[in-house]
Amino acid sequence: MASADVLNGNFEAWSNASADNWTTVDTGINVSQNTNTIKTGTSSAAITVNTATQGSTDFLQNIAVTAGQNYDFSVWVYHTEGGVKARLFADGYRGYSDPNLVNQWQQVSYTYSATTTKEIAVGLRFYDTTGFDGSETVYVDDFEPTTSAGTGGGTGCSDNEITFSLTTDQYGYETSWSIKNSSNIEQAIGSNLSNSTSYSENICLTDGDYTFTINDSYGDGICCTYGNGSYDISLAGTSLVSGGTFTQTESKTFTLGTAGGGSGGNPGTYYQSITTQTGYSLKTALHNLIKNHTAQGYGAIWTFYANHSLDTYYDNDGTILDIYAEKPFGSDSYSYTKVTNQCGSYRGEGDCYNREHSFPKSWFGGTIEPMNSDIHHIFATDGYVNSKRSGFPYGEVASATFTSTNNSKLGSATSALGYNGTVFEPINEFKGDLARAQLYMATRYQNVISSWQTNSTYGNAILDGSSNKVFETWQLNMLLRWHANDPVSQKEIDRNEAAYSHQGNRNPFVDHPEYVEKIWSVN
């Protein structure tokens, strides 16, 4: 236990009325020695909570942990009124005590698996519940870890460790949230939040059905009137619920365990209605299958990127996978940390990343839903390079006027392309991804896309005004060529699964690349 002792976890040592070694005691609580209500030894800590602002109730200390070791943290809690509950903290927010169990000791525990050697914070945070009268005492005793040899790499949660991410808008204090189980018992809550701030915490939940509810007291949600707020709950990298655009309140359900738990949908059963169709009949059948997705709002794209647009394929460093900067066969010139480096303003390449509509907004008429937030065609890219691409069509460049650090180009089209104008050419590694995104748009919005031809000059250059073929011949031929030359990769499959969990529909040309030829090559 040499590397993970919680010092004075039995609260026997006190100096100047303070518990020795507990270095973070926030302003919303008072801590004193108690010799009457004890679990072990001769004294416990009497913690009086005087605020409903949870961020001012931390009671912590730092300890060292060693990679490859498992640590069984536990603490005993004694509630006197039931108006507050205690939450165990061990390098993140863990389980809660049950505030309804008053006048008796109860244990809150958590097994932590250290993947790196470092210092972590352990302790408690307190949350007000219904009936909190502004001041309440909770007794705490026997905060103790035990160690055992481990293999490392575990989740630290024997059930389901979900990741909850929230970015507030400019009025964070208006926002509150909760996760309740099927018995309507709160498992996690949050309120009194800071403005324009990103939060992330891991929550351990057992198998079962849960309801996530988020409230905005003003009634304008958290996106997009006063900021780009969003939320996401994920399990093992797969989004279970997400959003940000609502009015007063929004509730979404999810299931953990064998009955559900974030499956991206079975591509086999998803397409069971697709049998012998070919040509534009197949395209119409696919349109009917994918047309009713649930728009999550433009702000929710940031959270999707933070969870599902990370580089675990090339540099494998967990930074943002930027398709206009990634060098598949060499070191990237720069990299972006999720959330921290999202735009923002930029003056040049490498300043920040933002949201690239591969099918530009001007082509479908502006910030119109559901197109404006449809994640299947919106990729994380460098903000400056995104601005260079602007609303120009994708194409193949003969003479470049701009070249990004990974060799994406803007310039005049090659004579062989069949189009005489300025185009933007991504690198070969992502041409198939972008082609399948364009073909998705032609299918998902088949019912309205024929009216988009005159929305913009460059939209007119690639759209033919029909609802079936959709693209001008030069553009269609290029997309089919890019699709064939850059087959579906694992990163695309993973993104498609995440997109399904995010908004409820799939890109059929990722699941079934053969559908491309069955639709457009027979017409």
Side-chain angles (χ1 to χ4, degrees):
M1 297 208 311
S3 65
D5 287 339
V6 174
L7 299 177
N8 195 30
N10 56 6
F11 302 103
E12 299 295 307
W14 295 78
S15 302
N16 299 319
S18 298
D20 291 355
N21 302 110
W22 292 91
T23 56
T24 300
V25 181
D26 275 339
T27 57
I29 57 176
N30 292 320
V31 183
S32 61
Q33 186 176 13
N34 172 267
T35 57
N36 296 315
T37 306
I38 56 176
K39 181 67 175 63
T40 60
T42 60
S43 69
S44 65
I47 300 180
T48 302
V49 182
N50 298 307
T51 179
T53 303
Q54 63 195 48
S56 298
T57 63
D58 288 338
F59 181 64
L60 304 171
Q61 67 171 268
N62 290 330
I63 64 171
V65 295
T66 302
Q69 295 290 313
N70 295 332
Y71 302 95
D72 296 323
F73 295 106
S74 68
V75 62
W76 289 85
V77 176
Y78 187 105
H79 289 291
T80 58
E81 298 178 53
V84 297
K85 57 184 175 181
R87 188 172 192 183
L88 180 63
F89 188 95
D91 198 27
Y93 299 101
R94 310 304 177 184
Y96 293 91
S97 64
D98 184 348
N100 297 313
L101 297 178
V102 297
N103 300 319
Q104 58 182 293
W105 287 101
Q106 59 177 291
Q107 187 180 31
V108 184
S109 59
Y110 179 81
T111 299
Y112 177 81
S113 297
T115 57
T116 59
T117 298
K118 62 178 181 178
E119 277 198 348
I120 66 170
V122 298
L124 291 166
R125 172 176 280 193
F126 297 88
Y127 297 73
D128 64 297
T129 67
T130 302
F132 177 58
D133 60 6
S135 181
E136 182 169 330
T137 299
V138 179
Y139 299 108
V140 177
D141 204 358
D142 202 19
F143 200 121
E144 181 182 352
T146 58
T147 63
S148 59
T151 58
T155 65
C157 176
S158 59
D159 295 304
N160 306 285
E161 188 170 51
I162 65 169
T163 299
F164 172 68
S165 303
L166 171 69
T167 299
T168 59
D169 64 7
Q170 297 168 14
Y171 298 92
Y173 63 86
E174 296 174 354
T175 303
S176 61
W177 61 270
S178 68
I179 297 175
K180 294 183 179 180
N181 64 14
S182 57
S183 299
N184 206 37
I185 297 174
E186 287 182 341
Q187 305 299 299
I189 58 173
S191 60
N192 298 297
L193 304 173
S194 299
N195 302 336
S196 302
T197 301
S198 293
Y199 297 87
S200 181
E201 60 178 284
N202 294 331
I203 303 169
C204 191
L205 299 175
T206 59
D207 291 352
D209 297 320
Y210 295 88
T211 300
F212 170 78
T213 301
I214 187 166
N215 301 291
D216 180 85
S217 60
Y218 188 74
D220 62 349
I222 57 177
C223 181
C224 300
T225 306
Y226 299 104
N228 290 318
S230 63
Y231 65 82
D232 181 87
I233 296 176
S234 297
L235 176 66
T238 298
S239 179
L240 306 179
V241 296
S242 60
T245 303
F246 59 97
T247 53
Q248 196 82 32
T249 188
E250 180 171 67
S251 293
K252 292 187 178 181
T253 60
F254 60 95
T255 301
L256 300 173
T258 56
S263 169
N266 185 329
T269 57
Y270 187 83
Y271 297 99
Q272 61 187 355
S273 63
I274 307 300
T275 53
T276 60
Q277 301 98 322
T278 59
Y280 296 141
S281 295
L282 171 58
K283 182 167 174 282
T284 298
L286 292 173
H287 164 73
N288 290 329
L289 186 63
I290 66 176
K291 66 181 181 180
N292 290 321
H293 81 263
T294 303
Q296 299 297 332
Y298 195 49
I301 295 172
W302 291 127
T303 305
F304 182 90
Y305 287 167
N307 291 314
H308 308 297
S309 292
L310 304 179
D311 186 355
T312 57
Y313 307 95
Y314 302 104
D315 302 285
N316 198 29
D317 58 3
T319 60
I320 290 292
L321 181 52
D322 175 352
I323 63 173
Y324 294 165
E326 177 60 46
K327 296 179 181 179
F329 307 109
S331 299
D332 298 342
S333 298
Y334 53 87
S335 61
Y336 290 131
T337 301
K338 65 180 184 180
V339 180
T340 302
N341 296 132
Q342 69 188 34
C343 288
S345 60
Y346 51 81
R347 292 195 218 172
E349 188 176 358
D351 284 348
C352 60
Y353 71 94
N354 64 8
R355 297 161 287 190
E356 161 72 306
H357 292 78
S358 63
F359 197 101
K361 289 182 287 187
S362 59
W363 295 3
F364 55 75
T367 56
I368 301 170
E369 292 293 354
M371 296 81 75
N372 190 49
S373 66
D374 192 330
I375 201 66
H376 282 293
H377 82 109
I378 306 175
F379 295 85
T381 66
D382 177 86
Y384 183 74
V385 182
N386 184 354
S387 71
K388 287 293 186 180
R389 188 268 166 126
S390 186
F392 293 113
Y394 286 126
E396 292 158 349
V397 172
S399 177
T401 57
F402 168 81
T403 303
S404 77
T405 58
N406 83 336
N407 209 37
S408 297
K409 301 174 182 177
L410 180 73
S412 56
T414 63
S415 58
L417 190 60
Y419 171 70
N420 182 20
T422 300
V423 295
F424 186 90
E425 182 176 4
I427 63 173
N428 293 338
E429 183 73 12
F430 302 110
K431 284 180 176 176
D433 306 52
L434 293 169
R436 286 178 283 275
Q438 303 291 287
L439 298 174
Y440 163 86
M441 292 295 285
T443 305
R444 166 62 181 86
Y445 300 103
Q446 174 177 292
N447 59 320
V448 292
I449 202 167
S450 63
S451 65
W452 295 353
Q453 185 181 23
T454 58
N455 283 338
S456 72
T457 300
Y458 299 117
N460 186 38
I462 69 121
L463 298 174
D464 73 347
S466 73
S467 61
N468 44 33
K469 180 184 174 185
V470 175
F471 298 107
E472 296 284 359
T473 299
W474 74 269
Q475 177 77 176
L476 179 60
N477 288 342
M478 185 197 73
L479 294 176
L480 298 182
R481 184 168 64 252
W482 285 10
H483 165 71
N485 291 341
D486 176 29
V488 173
S489 63
Q490 187 61 50
K491 72 177 183 309
E492 234 180 317
I493 293 170
D494 295 342
R495 193 180 198 277
N496 197 30
E497 290 293 332
Y500 176 86
S501 297
H502 176 73
Q503 63 182 45
N505 72 343
R506 308 179 68 88
N507 184 338
F509 307 115
V510 174
D511 292 324
H512 288 277
E514 72 276 11
Y515 286 169
V516 174
E517 184 175 358
K518 285 186 176 182
I519 293 172
W520 281 281
S521 295
V522 299
N523 287 286

